[in-house]
Amino acid sequence: MNHQATASNGQFRAADPVKFRSRPWAATLILVGGLIALAFGVAVSVSFGAADIKLSVVWTAVFHFNPDLTDHQIIRELRLPRVLGAVMVGASFAVAGAIMQGMTRNPLADSGLMGINSGAGFALAVCFAFFPHLSFMYLILYSFIGAGMGAGIVYGIGSLSTGGLTPARLVLAGAAFSALLSALSEGVALYFNIGQDLAFWYAGGVAGTKWFQLQIMFPWFAGALICAFILSRSITMLSLGEDIAKGLGQRTGLVKLAGALIVLILAGSSVSVVGAVGFIGLIIPHLTRYLVGVDYKWIIPCSAVLGSLLAVSADLTARMIVPGQETPFGAIIALIGVPFFLYLARKERREL
Amino acid sequence: MSRTTVQSYESARRRRGMTLLAVIAVLIITAFIISMNTGYILLTPQELLNTMLGKGTAKQELILFDFRLPRIVISLLIGAALAVSGAVMQSVFRNDLADPGILGINAGAGLMVMLMVSFYPSTSAAPVFLLPVVAFAGAGFTAAMIYLLSYKRHEGIPPIRLLLTGVAVAAGISAAMIVLTLRLDPEKYQFVATWLAGSIWGTSWKFVLSLLPWIIVLLPYVIYKARVMNVLSLGGQTATGLGAAVNKEQFRLLAAAVGLAAASVAVSGGIGFVGLVGPHLARRLVGPKHQLMLPASALLGALLVITADTIGRWILQPSEIPTGIVVAVIGAPYFLYLLARTKS
C-alpha cells in the first residue's frame, strides 16, 4: 500500500501543474498574518515567565520605559533580547535553509545537517579556548569562517565519493563530521576548562542573549536578508536545474557563490548567538514551499516570517514545559524536526 | 587437483588469519599492561608486578584492583561486544556503514538506562543487574522502530535509508533525553551529560558481573552462527535458495546484536563507531568469512576501546577525556572515508 501511495505521489508530482504554480495571494496572506501572529507571539513571550507581567505593562515598558520599575527592567534586560534573538535566529536559519534547498535542489539541505552549524560551533570553542577575551564582533567573524570550513569539508567529502553527490550522502557525511567536531570541541572544552562557556551551544538556547550581541548581529542579518531577496529571482531559476538556469542566461557560478556567502553569514551569526540549532532550516522552507508555491521571491520572505514564528513559539514552549526551568530550545526544535525529517526521507522516491 | 589447490588456499588463509588473531591478542595484552600503568598515580612496572602478586601496599591494591582493573576489563568487554554487534548488523542488513551507534540503537538503550537511573535517589543505588535488561528493552524498541520506518514493501531496506532513519532517530532520542533530564537534579544531569559524551561510567566489579553473562551467552552464539551469516551475506534470495530460514535467522541474529549493544551501553556511555571500525578492519585483515571475521572484530574492537580509554586517561592528566570522544575522533574520519568509497 505504501509503495502504491508513493508511486502515485510521484506521478502526481510530475503531472499536476498546481505543484509548480506560485501563489502570491497565499504568500501575502502568510506575510501579513504571520507578522501579526509574530507580534502577538513576541508579546506573549515577553509577558510570560517566572515573574508574570501583564501585557499592558509590556506595552508601557517598551514605549514609556521607566528604569525604576523592576518589571520594566526585566522586560528590557532579559526578555526582549531573548525574544528578539529568537526572531532573528529563526528567520536566519529558515532563509539559509531555503537558499540551500533552492540552490542545490536537495530536499534534505539544512545548515544543521550539513556541518555548517557544527563548524561554526567548533570555531567558537577554539576561540573561547585560545582567545578568551575576544570581543563578540570577532567571534562572529570566526564563526563565519568555521561555518565555511564545515560546509566546505562536508561538500568536499560528499563530492569525492565514487557515486557522486547525493542528498543522503551529504546528510551522512554531515552527521559524521558533526560527531567528529563535537567530539573535538568537547575535548577542547575539557582541556581548557571552558565547559561552562560552551554549554550554551551544545544544547542551543536563546536564554543568554544580550543586547550587544543583537546589535552586532543585526547589520549582518539585515544585509544578508536583503541580499537574499535580491537574489531570489536567480535562486528560482537555479531551482529549475543548473542547465536551465544557464540556458536562461544566468551566471550560475556567481549566483551560487553569493548564495553560499549569504547562507554562511546567516547560519554563522545565528550559531554565535544561540548555538547549533538544527532543523529550522529544514522544516520551514518545505512548509513554505507547500503553502506559497515555487517562486523564491515569495518563499524567502515567508520562510523568514514562519521561521521566526517557529523559533519564538519553541522558545515559549521550552519555558512552559517545566516552569522556572529552561528546556534547551534546540531540543524542542529537534523533537519537532526529527519526525519531519523521517517523513521527507521516506517520501523521496529514489535512493533516500 | 583444483580441489586440493582450493583446500591448500583455504588452509593457508586460515593459518594467516590465526596468526593475525594472535598478533592482535598480543597487542591487547600490551595495551592492557600499559593501561594498568596509566593514570594520575604512577605505578612502576615493578610495583605493578608486586601488587599483582599480592605484595603491594593497601593503596596500590586499591588503585589497581578496585579502580583500574574493572575499568580495563569493562573496556575490553564492551569493545568486543560493540564490534561484534556492528559486524552482525553489517551482514544482516548487507550495509557497510551499519553500526549500533550510528543507527541510534545505543541512544535508545541509553534513554531507558537514564529513565531507570532517574527513579533511584542516586546513580549508584540503581540495581546494576537490571540495567542491561532495561537497556535491551530500549534498544530492541528502537531497532524495531528504525526497521519499520525504513522498510518499504517491494524495496526492502535500502542501505542509505536505513542510515538516514537511524541518524534521525538518534537525534530525536538525544533531544528527548535532554528535555527529560531537566526534570532531574544536577547530579543526574551530569550523569546524562557524561553518558552522551560516551564515558565508561560503571567502573566496579559489579558492573563487570552484570555485563559478563550477556557476553558469555551472546558472543559464542553469534560466532556459532558464523556459517549462517556467510550465507545471509550473499543476499536474501541466494540464502533462501541455499536452504537458510532467512527471516528467522535474521531476526535471531539482530536480537543478539541488539543485546550485545544494549549490554555494553548499560555500563558505558554512547560509544559510537566501534561497531563500524572493528568489523571493517577485521574484514580487511582476515577476509569476509565470518568464522574468522567475527573473532577478529571482537579482538579489534577490544583493542580499539582499551587504547582509546588509555589515551583518554593519559592525554589530559589529571582530568580525563570520555572514551567515546577519543573513539569518535578515530572513528568519524574512518566513517567518512568509507562513505566516500561506497557506491550509491
Side-chain angles (χ1 to χ4, degrees):
Chain A
M1 201 205 104
N2 264 331
H3 181 70
Q4 277 176 346
T6 33
S8 61
N9 195 11
Q11 282 159 6
F12 174 78
R13 225 181 299 170
D16 200 336
V18 172
K19 274 259 171 185
F20 294 98
R21 201 179 289 161
S22 166
R23 287 187 280 279
W25 281 110
T28 323
L29 201 68
I30 288 176
L31 281 180
V32 176
L35 283 174
I36 294 170
L38 188 61
F40 182 69
V42 167
V44 171
S45 189
V46 169
S47 73
F48 179 85
D52 220 0
I53 299 171
K54 286 201 186 69
L55 279 175
S56 55
V57 183
V58 175
W59 182 266
T60 51
V62 174
F63 295 101
H64 312 282
F65 181 59
N66 179 356
D68 298 333
L69 291 173
T70 330
D71 279 359
H72 285 204
Q73 288 284 5
I74 291 176
I75 289 171
R76 270 276 160 122
E77 294 308 318
L78 297 173
R79 300 223 178 128
L80 263 184
R82 78 176 289 167
V83 176
L84 292 180
V87 168
M88 269 156 70
V89 163
S92 298
F93 279 130
V95 171
I99 295 177
M100 286 169 79
Q101 289 174 13
M103 283 198 322
T104 59
R105 291 162 51 90
N106 176 353
L108 297 177
D110 169 55
S111 57
L113 294 169
M114 297 295 169
I116 293 180
N117 289 1
S118 50
F122 180 64
L124 289 180
V126 171
C127 284
F128 279 128
F130 294 103
F131 318 104
H133 303 297
L134 214 57
S135 76
F136 189 74
M137 189 71 179
Y138 287 100
L139 272 185
I140 228 174
L141 287 175
Y142 281 110
S143 175
F144 295 155
I145 297 172
M149 274 171 30
I153 291 173
V154 169
Y155 253 84
I157 291 167
S159 2
L160 272 181
S161 42
T162 36
L165 196 69
T166 64
R169 211 182 274 272
L170 266 181
V171 173
L172 289 178
F177 188 64
S178 303
L180 175 66
L181 283 185
S182 58
L184 284 175
S185 315
E186 272 170 75
V188 169
L190 280 168
Y191 187 69
F192 290 94
N193 240 334
I194 47 169
Q196 288 283 317
D197 300 326
L198 281 183
F200 85 96
W201 75 260
Y202 287 139
V206 283
T209 315
K210 306 274 187 318
W211 277 118
F212 76 90
Q213 290 178 320
L214 297 182
Q215 271 165 12
I216 294 170
M217 183 185 164
F218 186 75
W220 293 103
F221 167 76
L225 225 51
I226 291 168
C227 292
F229 294 140
I230 297 171
L231 212 61
S232 61
R233 260 177 71 86
S234 314
I235 294 172
T236 312
M237 274 196 247
L238 261 184
S239 74
L240 300 172
E242 203 169 336
D243 295 339
I244 298 181
K246 268 192 190 138
L248 290 169
Q250 191 186 74
R251 293 161 74 184
T252 47
L254 202 66
V255 174
K256 281 191 164 176
L257 183 70
L261 280 178
I262 295 173
V263 167
L264 292 182
I265 287 172
L266 286 173
S269 58
S270 303
V271 170
S272 66
V273 175
V274 297
V277 175
F279 293 109
I280 296 183
L282 181 79
I283 309 173
I284 294 299
H286 276 280
L287 185 69
T288 319
R289 211 172 298 122
Y290 176 75
L291 292 171
V292 306
V294 292
D295 192 348
Y296 278 81
K297 190 172 68 191
W298 297 110
I299 291 179
I300 286 174
C302 291
S303 289
V305 171
L306 292 177
S308 307
L309 206 56
L310 175 67
V312 170
S313 39
D315 178 42
L316 193 60
T317 320
R319 280 184 289 157
M320 271 171 15
I321 290 181
V322 190
Q325 241 175 350
E326 297 271 346
T327 308
F329 158 77
I332 305 276
I333 306 252
L335 284 181
I336 308 168
V338 165
F340 190 80
F341 176 84
L342 286 172
Y343 164 74
L344 281 182
R346 228 188 130 73
K347 207 180 82 171
E348 195 59 23
R349 280 175 66 232
R350 275 165 298 134
E351 243 282 281
L352 274 177
Chain B
M1 174 66 196
S2 72
R3 193 183 163 86
T4 48
T5 327
V6 170
Q7 269 175 348
S8 71
Y9 174 72
E10 270 298 302
S11 69
R13 184 161 204 174
R14 194 171 305 144
R15 226 172 314 136
R16 186 167 158 261
M18 287 299 181
T19 324
L20 276 168
L21 289 190
V23 170
I24 302 167
V26 170
L27 284 177
I28 290 179
I29 293 169
T30 318
F32 192 103
I33 294 169
I34 295 174
S35 186
M36 282 199 297
N37 259 312
T38 309
Y40 184 53
I41 294 168
L42 206 70
L43 296 178
T44 62
Q46 183 66 39
E47 283 170 340
L48 204 64
L49 195 69
N50 280 339
T51 321
M52 291 291 272
L53 296 171
K55 283 185 270 179
T57 61
K59 188 181 155 200
Q60 285 167 349
E61 280 188 2
L62 182 77
I63 292 170
L64 190 63
F65 291 117
D66 290 342
F67 293 129
R68 290 198 191 154
L69 268 184
R71 179 160 173 171
I72 293 171
V73 172
I74 281 185
S75 67
L76 287 174
L77 290 177
I78 59 172
L82 286 172
V84 170
S85 172
V88 173
M89 287 178 190
Q90 288 170 18
S91 301
V92 170
F93 288 123
R94 303 186 64 208
N95 183 340
D96 268 359
L97 300 175
D99 162 85
I102 296 164
L103 289 184
I105 289 168
N106 287 357
L111 180 64
M112 288 301 283
V113 169
M114 189 212 81
L115 284 178
M116 173 152 165
V117 165
S118 66
F119 279 116
Y120 291 90
S122 76
T123 46
S124 50
V128 171
F129 290 91
L130 265 179
L131 282 176
V133 182
V134 175
F136 182 65
F141 180 72
T142 316
M145 194 159 80
I146 292 167
Y147 193 93
L148 287 177
L149 284 171
S150 52
Y151 183 82
K152 267 190 185 176
R153 223 168 65 183
H154 307 301
E155 285 177 52
I157 299 184
I160 295 277
R161 194 166 58 218
L162 179 76
L163 294 177
L164 278 184
T165 314
V167 168
V169 169
I173 291 176
S174 309
M177 246 163 130
I178 290 172
V179 172
L180 287 172
T181 44
L182 284 172
R183 297 180 163 270
L184 310 176
D185 53 74
E187 184 211 354
K188 281 169 192 151
Y189 185 75
Q190 193 55 44
F191 168 75
V192 173
T194 45
W195 190 93
L196 283 172
S199 134
I200 296 176
W201 61 277
T203 49
S204 66
W205 288 111
K206 56 179 187 176
F207 288 98
V208 177
L209 282 179
S210 80
L211 177 62
L212 209 53
W214 292 74
I215 291 185
I216 287 179
V217 173
L218 291 174
L219 215 56
Y221 173 77
V222 171
I223 294 175
Y224 163 72
K225 286 279 182 192
R227 296 167 66 92
V228 177
M229 286 168 65
N230 284 340
V231 176
L232 282 182
S233 57
L234 297 173
Q237 288 183 342
T238 319
T240 315
L242 288 168
V246 172
N247 286 339
K248 209 189 277 176
E249 296 290 359
Q250 277 183 341
F251 180 78
R252 284 182 194 153
L253 281 167
L254 272 186
V258 168
L260 282 171
S264 358
V265 167
V267 298
S268 77
I271 298 181
F273 297 109
V274 180
L276 184 85
V277 178
H280 270 274
L281 280 180
R283 218 171 283 134
R284 196 163 280 192
L285 290 175
V286 301
K289 280 187 82 174
H290 287 84
Q291 284 93 329
L292 271 179
M293 194 276 254
L294 289 173
S297 316
L299 289 178
L300 283 167
L303 182 63
L304 175 62
V305 175
I306 192 176
T307 314
D309 187 45
T310 314
I311 292 176
R313 262 187 291 159
W314 166 73
I315 202 164
L316 294 187
Q317 278 178 2
S319 62
E320 288 183 6
I321 298 184
T323 315
I325 292 184
V326 182
V327 177
V329 169
I330 305 170
Y334 194 68
F335 178 87
L336 290 170
Y337 163 71
L338 287 176
L339 187 73
R341 271 182 28 135
T342 40
K343 296 197 179 75
S344 56

